[in-house]
Amino acid sequence: MTIDRLPGVTLTDHVLDVPLDHGDPGGERIAVYGREVVAAGREDAALPWLVFLQGGPGNAAPRPLGRESWLGRALEDYRVLLLDQRGTGRSTPANRQTLPLRGGPREQAGYLAHFRADAIVRDAELFRRRLVGADTPWSVLGQSFGGFCTVAYLSQAPEGLREALVTGGLPGLDASAEDVYRAAYPRVARKNAAHYARYPRDVAAVREIAAHLREREVRLPGGGTLTPRAFQALGMLLGTGNGSHVLHHLLADAWVTGPAGRELGDAFLEGVRAQLSHAAAPLFAVVHEAIYGQRSVDPGPTAWAAQRVRDGLTAYPQFDVDTVLDGAGPLYLTGEMMYPWLFDTDPALRPLKETAQELAARGDWPDLYDAGALAANEVPAAAAVYFDDMYVDTAHSLATAERIRGMRVWVTNEWEHDGLRVSDGAVLDRLLRMVRGEV
């Protein structure tokens, strides 16, 4: 057991061997890692536990540098477990380097089919029994996709929960992948319109860069290809509190003039690479649409739903590069959409293209949520729903909240989707007071 001491906190490593398939406990096993965090000086205190489920899918838990952000507020009341969800961080990583050990694309896809919210909940339950005790529930805080996992937790193992907190992550219980993206494009369009209203010069800046990329091949540092569609993926920034400003500064520094004339500068290309690369979290792209698969909602494959919906868009021609560049007006950037061509432009994803195709063609996904269990919920629960959240549909979230018995909801436009991280503990504090009946 490794123990580290950072300013204001003590960190302890925990690793469990868990079944790859919880339905086959005697089969293959993988490692899942969690980092215990406790306030310095309280290591021996009898504190209740809070497990944090990170957003994603496919993102490792945060690596704390001290009592920053929401963690400082959590450590006032809890001993916190930062769980690296299976396949991420130090939990038997799944990426272009490790997945070939599983065999070909079909075998890799079969392996990754066990990396959804239902398995993550079962992993968390094994940690709870090991760290807290089989008869002692703990609290859960789920951010974004972590909130999806929290709703699955309330469905599958509510006896393990003392209280449930969700920030920007109430899923649509009956929403298929196609439903999710049909709702998403109008929200992304509104974020684009707001950005261009804030920074009108960026209309021309985006058009000029996209036109340049349409005419010539541009490589990013590390070997990625910056196509016009890949450039549009910078719209992911528009759903965070400062993302519009980050995008504006990136665009403003795009061009340099050298012996070969005017070209996109290295600093700009490196900034774009840092935003677009999936090297640190390839599962975010590979299993993204699979998190929406449920046989009772849509027994068929997700089949690249984001691309299918985009191909059929008529209300928002601003997303189509050729239509915009051959005419006038702003080119809209895209959001949290995973497209098949993405696996051609990102070197971290290219070796996983066929694996992603296998997952996209896979149907009959098991259900993740139990409407009956949620309607009978007895776990104190509270959720922050961010008004016009770009990543998680507000209407879907509110409809789900109504179906979870006792769920208290705070709808706010004070924060964007990253409110938990950037509010210096204010969002978490509000949810704690809500779940305890103080507000």
Side-chain angles (χ1 to χ4, degrees), residues 169-312:
L170 288 177
L173 300 183
D174 302 323
S176 67
E178 189 167 325
D179 294 332
V180 167
Y181 293 111
R182 288 197 185 283
Y185 280 101
R187 300 197 309 276
V188 177
R190 290 195 292 273
K191 298 297 185 183
N192 273 270
H195 174 79
Y196 287 132
R198 182 180 297 115
Y199 294 116
R201 289 175 297 170
D202 285 2
V203 173
V206 168
R207 287 180 59 94
E208 183 181 16
I209 294 170
H212 177 83
L213 298 175
R214 187 168 68 160
E215 296 300 321
R216 67 208 72 195
E217 182 177 282
V218 173
R219 292 281 180 177
L220 294 171
T225 306
L226 188 59
T227 64
R229 290 184 302 184
F231 170 62
Q232 283 181 286
L234 287 174
M236 274 283 287
L237 286 165
L238 297 178
T240 63
N242 65 1
S244 176
H245 312 305
V246 172
L247 175 63
H248 171 69
H249 291 310
L250 187 61
L251 297 172
D253 296 333
W255 300 95
V256 298
T257 301
R262 196 162 180 261
E263 59 183 323
L264 293 172
D266 286 348
F268 169 76
L269 295 176
E270 173 57 23
V272 171
R273 183 210 61 78
Q275 295 295 336
L276 299 185
S277 173
H278 288 84
L283 290 185
F284 182 79
V286 179
V287 303
H288 201 97
E289 289 196 355
I291 69 174
Y292 300 113
Q294 296 191 91
R295 64 168 63 101
S296 66
V297 175
D298 182 359
T302 57
W304 299 112
Q307 184 66 56
R308 289 189 290 108
V309 172
R310 181 175 180 170
D311 290 342

Side-chain angles (χ1 to χ4, degrees), residues 393-411:
D393 187 69
T394 303
H396 290 168
S397 295
L398 294 179
T400 294
E402 290 186 354
R403 297 173 65 181
I404 301 176
R405 181 174 177 267
M407 171 66 74
R408 300 185 177 206
V409 182
W410 170 38
V411 182

Side-chain angles (χ1 to χ4, degrees), residues 42-279:
R42 305 185 75 190
E43 293 87 351
D44 297 326
L47 296 168
W49 282 78
L50 171 74
V51 60
F52 176 68
L53 300 179
Q54 172 70 302
N59 291 324
R63 272 44 183 166
L65 302 177
R67 297 186 60 166
E68 72 274 15
S69 185
W70 62 269
L71 188 58
R73 175 63 187 89
L75 292 176
E76 294 177 13
D77 297 352
Y78 301 98
R79 188 181 302 269
V80 176
L81 184 72
L82 301 175
L83 184 68
D84 278 356
Q85 295 163 20
R86 49 174 54 200
T88 74
R90 293 167 63 180
S91 295
T92 308
N95 53 45
R96 66 174 180 83
Q97 296 165 301
T98 64
L99 283 171
L101 297 173
R102 314 299 312 178
R106 181 168 296 179
E107 291 76 19
Q108 294 175 34
Y111 176 73
L112 293 177
H114 300 292
F115 282 60
R116 301 200 312 154
D118 47 358
I120 293 168
V121 168
R122 296 303 178 192
D123 293 343
E125 272 293 274
L126 290 179
F127 262 102
R128 180 184 66 85
R129 294 187 183 102
R130 170 69 65 85
L131 298 176
V132 187
D135 298 326
T136 305
W138 62 0
S139 301
V140 61
L141 169 61
Q143 158 65 17
S144 193
F145 171 69
F148 291 26
C149 295
T150 300
V151 176
Y153 213 144
L154 289 170
S155 297
Q156 297 175 2
E159 68 280 359
L161 297 178
R162 175 178 180 235
E163 56 195 0
L165 310 171
V166 174
T167 59
L170 288 177
L173 300 183
D174 302 323
S176 67
E178 189 167 325
D179 294 332
V180 167
Y181 293 111
R182 288 197 185 283
Y185 280 101
R187 300 197 309 276
V188 177
R190 290 195 292 273
K191 298 297 185 183
N192 273 270
H195 174 79
Y196 287 132
R198 182 180 297 115
Y199 294 116
R201 289 175 297 170
D202 285 2
V203 173
V206 168
R207 287 180 59 94
E208 183 181 16
I209 294 170
H212 177 83
L213 298 175
R214 187 168 68 160
E215 296 300 321
R216 67 208 72 195
E217 182 177 282
V218 173
R219 292 281 180 177
L220 294 171
T225 306
L226 188 59
T227 64
R229 290 184 302 184
F231 170 62
Q232 283 181 286
L234 287 174
M236 274 283 287
L237 286 165
L238 297 178
T240 63
N242 65 1
S244 176
H245 312 305
V246 172
L247 175 63
H248 171 69
H249 291 310
L250 187 61
L251 297 172
D253 296 333
W255 300 95
V256 298
T257 301
R262 196 162 180 261
E263 59 183 323
L264 293 172
D266 286 348
F268 169 76
L269 295 176
E270 173 57 23
V272 171
R273 183 210 61 78
Q275 295 295 336
L276 299 185
S277 173
H278 288 84

